Amino acid sequence: MPQRVLIAGTSPLLAGRLAARCLSATDSAAGADVVLLSAPGSRPGAPAPDRHELASFVTRCAGERTPAGQGPPTAGASAKPPHDAPDGKRLTVVCVEPDAVARELKAWTADQVWCVAPGWDRSPARGARADSALAGTLLAALPGLGASGYVHVGPDTTADGGPARRSYRDLERLAVETCLDAGVSWRVLRTPPAMDARASVLGECPPGAHRLLWALNSVRTEIEDRVPDWFERHPLRVAGVAGLGLTLLTAEQAAGALWRAGGPGELPDGFATVPRPAPVPLADVLARAGAVHGIDVRPVPDREDFGAADRLLDLRLRDVFRQAVRLRDAAPASTGTPPPGAARSDSDAARSDSDAAGSTTTRTDAENASPAARTASADAAPHARSQSATASAAAPQAGPSTADAPPPPLSAADQWELFGAVRAHRSPPDTARGETALRRRVLEVAGRPLVLFEGGAGEGPPLLVLNALGQGPGFLTRLCAHLAPHHRLVTWQVRGTEREDPAWGIRHQLDDMNAVLEAVGAERAHLIGWCTGAKIATAFQQHSPRAVASLVFLNATFRQNGRWDGMDTKYESDLAAVCRALDRRPHKATRMLDLLAPGAAGGKGSPGAPDAGVLGVLSRALADEVRRPFRDAEVLVRYARQLVDLWRLDSAAQAPRVGVPALFVSSEFDGISSPARAREAARCFPHARYAELAVAGHYAPHDRPALVAELITEFVRAPEEVADLVRYAEITWHIDMEGTAR
């Protein structure tokens, strides 16, 4: 009778590779049915694959390993177990939301269960939470599944002494305890990060080399969106790489080692760690990866002369440096200033961890394993219910302590090939979805047309995206495209500046918002206000408090006459003077047109901030949009009067009465809307968080839509936790939910 192997994972990449290994196995796993249950958290910038994409990936990988003369496995599309499994091998792929795993497991039985929770989420806190939820659900369902074996795959955190290590060690203890109680055989396996050419297609970016390639690609895309030939004349500088190395392990190598250590068979209970290949000098990896992306990457001794582009790359490489290890023959004095988070060498980390563990084990043949593997086994010994159970769980001699001998490091030629393949499969990180169109609909409100743009998918209140006064939809196209797969959303053409429009003040804008809510059939919504939209969103929350679930302010201007003096940007000061003059003397509009168009404004931030350089140049895609309110004198006068009306609105007085969560997202180099004033405004809201994006400008929702969309998505889902779930080096969190400094 064929076996059934259930492989459930938060990593489609690794779980899919393991499913392919099972399907192509020629030993005791031959004839096994494979159920692949994929439960990653899909988010902007990292969409989870659907079952057809994942099935195609698995069958392709299995086909590459199938011996000549054998056909590839059959990929089943059903979401239910087959009643009469045919001879041979069959794959069934099920993709579910993380909170639906328990319900889905009720439909299955399995002989062996794999939990693939490798900790590869870009956010450690979010990843640990998702991995813990999946493991807990699988272990709770173990009796109903009828499995005789359980394999837990987690991250190798030997060199990580932080909360992530403790979280994953607790998971391992839970797995062993549950299996001991249920009389199920168990294996706990650990793997370092791995690389795969199709990782980005599956919505993944594992730590280490993948994050390095992502950092280069994302910086390159953001700069070339402004100045296409910039890299022909300028290098990118990186500090602190001397004496550091990066291990390059392919996902196929990791999956092979894991399968050999945990595949169906007579292996006893125990622990195993996938060994890392010898590290490749980080300077060499950067040089090859830079060349693949057309970037001259130059190591330098320190960060003293970094420009904005260098700073952005440095911030995005911080996570990479945490995965780097010191090369064995590198003298500490020769390494320059080490980057924040740089790890110790594997052997040094293992020795210090072993000293900290303070435990002893019986000497066995397993002691021939690497120090890291022996330490991992000792450290993972669970706190069992009894002395005998503790001895059984803690003794690594009961099973293998390493999954394999260390693979050789990737050759230079293999690195070129792999880096090139990763880039070929990666869509530009923040622009790939920019062409996604929303549906256009025209309503008649107050006797005049109101143009809506709506779309997206998702449950719960929709997102109402408030554009800035006088602006067209182009500023928010990319952001909406990244939000649409996760939320229902609607935006509209703000009225009041077109030649045929009557005077349209704040009261009219609030009436339009009520009409939009009614048109989309929603009683409540999350409001997202960009620039001047923030003050209008606040006013609407006061006008209709039950209709607002939360507030998000992007590069908000809270300018008000007579308040927060000295915090205006130069652009705000100049604009205020001109708008007041035009309100009184509209006949002077023609002479003032050329004075106001911001062009590349936004390249300098608060007083004393360094120049944003190329990151202060306006995106070419916004060249026409930014001139929209300044295209003729009549439109300019209408726009000026809208702003004068907005500046009379006292948002500071309204803020203390706002009872819903609020998220402020500002930018370091915003030269249009004052970050200092936005930060001061955030302190007036009772339940606000304030995040500032490093080396970003006023148009961050356009320039970095995936990051901004991720902030919005996590905030809407869990406003109290967003600062922990989206904690990256390029984000500085200033205000907590009680309005106090962090």
Side-chain angles (χ1 to χ4, degrees):
M1 181 177 180
Q3 280 194 325
R4 177 176 293 146
V5 178
L6 171 66
I7 301 175
T10 57
S11 165
L13 169 61
L14 189 56
R17 284 282 183 182
L18 285 167
R21 280 278 172 170
C22 184
L23 290 168
S24 61
T26 57
D27 52 14
S28 60
D33 293 337
V34 180
V35 178
L36 176 57
L37 194 156
S38 182
S42 182
R43 61 189 182 280
D50 61 31
R51 59 190 176 89
H52 297 293
E53 292 171 326
L54 192 49
S56 176
F57 172 71
V58 174
T59 52
R60 183 187 304 110
C61 295
E64 293 169 356
R65 299 190 50 78
T66 301
Q70 295 185 18
T74 301
S78 70
K80 299 298 178 184
H83 298 290
D84 297 310
D87 293 335
K89 303 167 186 177
R90 177 168 176 176
L91 169 68
T92 302
V93 176
V94 182
C95 295
V96 296
E97 292 297 320
D99 57 3
V101 173
R103 183 170 61 252
E104 183 62 38
L105 288 175
K106 294 178 180 178
W108 300 95
T109 60
D111 298 284
Q112 188 185 51
V113 175
W114 286 66
C115 175
V116 183
W120 289 356
D121 195 297
R122 189 181 170 206
S123 165
R126 180 175 57 205
R129 179 175 300 182
D131 290 341
S132 296
L134 176 66
T137 302
L138 279 173
L139 291 168
L142 208 52
L145 291 168
S148 59
Y150 182 85
V151 183
H152 178 88
V153 178
D156 175 13
T157 56
T158 302
D160 182 2
R165 177 190 178 117
R166 294 190 293 273
S167 173
Y168 284 103
R169 292 301 180 260
D170 288 343
L171 272 188
E172 293 176 355
R173 295 184 178 99
L174 176 63
V176 175
E177 278 292 324
T178 303
C179 291
L180 289 172
D181 286 342
V184 174
S185 66
W186 56 271
R187 288 166 205 153
V188 172
L189 311 179
R190 299 169 184 162
T191 179
M195 296 190 67
D196 194 288
R198 299 187 65 82
S200 63
V201 178
L202 300 176
E204 291 198 69
C205 188
H210 258 296
R211 303 270 171 91
L212 183 149
L213 294 169
W214 167 82
L216 287 170
N217 193 55
S218 63
V219 172
R220 178 181 180 272
T221 301
E222 195 165 328
I223 289 175
E224 289 188 340
D225 189 46
R226 296 163 165 84
V227 183
D229 61 350
W230 191 84
F231 287 106
E232 296 177 10
R233 304 184 304 276
H234 301 90
L236 282 178
R237 293 167 291 183
V238 181
V241 303
L244 295 180
L246 206 59
T247 55
L248 304 179
L249 179 74
T250 69
E252 178 62 16
Q253 289 173 323
L258 290 168
W259 185 253
R260 288 187 289 274
E266 299 302 323
L267 290 176
D269 299 347
F271 298 84
T273 299
V274 174
R276 300 172 183 249
V280 178
L282 185 53
D284 294 350
V285 177
L286 280 164
R288 293 186 184 108
V292 164
H293 287 84
I295 301 173
D296 178 8
V297 181
R298 297 184 185 177
V300 295
D302 54 52
R303 298 169 175 79
E304 183 176 353
D305 296 323
F306 271 16
D310 305 317
R311 280 186 57 208
L312 181 59
L313 178 62
D314 183 65
L315 290 169
R316 292 180 178 174
L317 287 176
R318 295 291 174 89
D319 187 47
V320 176
F321 283 121
R322 281 191 287 271
Q323 294 292 324
V325 297
R326 195 163 300 286
L327 299 173
R328 293 180 185 276
D329 57 351
S334 67
T335 60
T337 303
R344 301 161 288 176
S345 70
D346 286 340
S347 57
D348 289 343
R351 281 195 295 272
S352 84
D353 289 340
S354 180
D355 292 340
S359 61
T360 60
T361 59
T362 303
R363 294 180 63 85
T364 69
D365 291 340
E367 290 183 76
N368 294 325
S370 67
R374 293 199 305 272
T375 302
S377 297
D379 182 58
H383 300 298
R385 293 171 296 103
S386 66
Q387 185 175 2
S388 61
T390 301
S392 172
Q397 68 270 21
S401 59
T402 55
D404 261 324
L410 285 182
S411 67
D414 288 340
Q415 291 176 49
W416 281 103
E417 182 178 357
L418 182 55
F419 295 169
V422 170
R423 184 188 176 193
H425 284 97
R426 185 188 297 280
S427 300
D430 287 342
T431 59
R433 297 167 181 246
E435 300 302 321
T436 302
L438 300 177
R439 298 184 301 275
R440 185 178 185 272
R441 180 153 60 118
V442 180
L443 305 176
E444 184 172 310
V445 180
R448 305 198 62 80
L450 177 65
V451 181
L452 295 186
F453 301 90
E454 57 184 320
E459 300 178 355
L463 308 183
L464 265 61
V465 185
L466 285 73
N467 206 346
L469 295 174
Q471 309 301 316
F475 290 104
L476 301 172
T477 299
R478 292 181 182 176
L479 177 63
C480 289
H482 279 80
L483 289 169
H486 309 274
H487 310 274
R488 287 191 302 147
L489 60 88
V490 58
T491 186
W492 59 95
Q493 181 62 55
V494 178
R495 300 195 284 183
T497 55
E498 299 301 321
R499 294 182 183 87
E500 62 273 14
D501 286 345
W504 213 257
I506 298 299
R507 179 179 59 81
H508 300 95
Q509 304 290 353
L510 302 185
D511 290 342
D512 283 354
M513 293 178 68
N514 276 321
V516 168
L517 270 176
E518 183 178 352
V520 300
E523 295 182 357
R524 299 180 77 227
H526 303 278
L527 304 188
I528 302 173
W530 177 59
C531 194
T532 53
K535 292 191 77 171
I536 298 172
T538 304
F540 184 77
Q541 195 279 332
Q542 293 295 286
H543 177 265
S544 305
R546 293 184 179 180
V548 179
S550 70
L551 296 168
V552 178
F553 304 135
L554 307 176
N555 298 96
T557 174
F558 276 88
R559 187 184 189 284
Q560 182 184 341
N561 294 333
R563 284 190 183 272
W564 298 313
D565 290 343
M567 293 186 183
D568 283 358
T569 64
K570 184 178 185 304
Y571 181 79
E572 283 177 311
S573 298
D574 294 345
L575 183 65
V578 172
C579 287
R580 287 194 295 266
L582 285 176
D583 187 36
R584 297 189 299 268
R585 304 180 187 86
H587 61 279
K588 293 187 175 182
T590 302
R591 294 168 51 189
M592 294 185 176
L593 279 175
D594 294 336
L595 299 178
L596 291 179
K604 292 183 180 292
S606 305
D611 195 334
V614 66
L615 294 176
V617 177
L618 184 71
S619 167
R620 292 170 296 153
L622 298 180
D624 292 333
E625 293 286 351
V626 80
R627 298 185 182 94
R628 192 181 191 88
F630 312 101
R631 61 187 185 273
D632 66 42
E634 186 176 352
V635 169
L636 177 58
V637 171
R638 293 175 180 274
Y639 177 60
R641 286 175 170 166
Q642 278 193 324
L643 289 176
V644 169
D645 181 50
L646 182 73
W647 292 331
R648 297 189 185 105
L649 185 63
D650 192 349
S651 296
Q654 294 175 334
R657 299 194 300 271
V658 174
V660 298
L663 172 66
F664 286 70
V665 182
S666 294
S667 301
E668 178 186 0
F669 290 146
D670 192 340
I672 293 179
S673 297
S674 169
R677 178 177 293 126
R679 190 159 54 245
E680 190 67 22
R683 299 185 189 281
C684 300
F685 286 74
H687 309 291
R689 286 201 183 278
Y690 178 94
E692 189 165 293
L693 307 183
V695 284
H698 184 66
Y699 306 107
H702 174 89
D703 298 331
R704 299 182 193 171
L707 178 59
V708 175
E710 184 178 346
L711 280 164
I712 293 170
T713 297
E714 294 292 4
F715 174 74
V716 166
R717 187 181 64 81
E720 295 85 4
E721 301 171 1
V722 62
D724 296 318
L725 298 178
V726 191
R727 184 170 289 278
Y728 306 138
E730 64 186 285
I731 302 175
T732 302
W733 291 95
H734 287 281
I735 309 294
D736 66 16
M737 290 297 287
E738 301 305 320
T740 58
R742 291 180 66 85

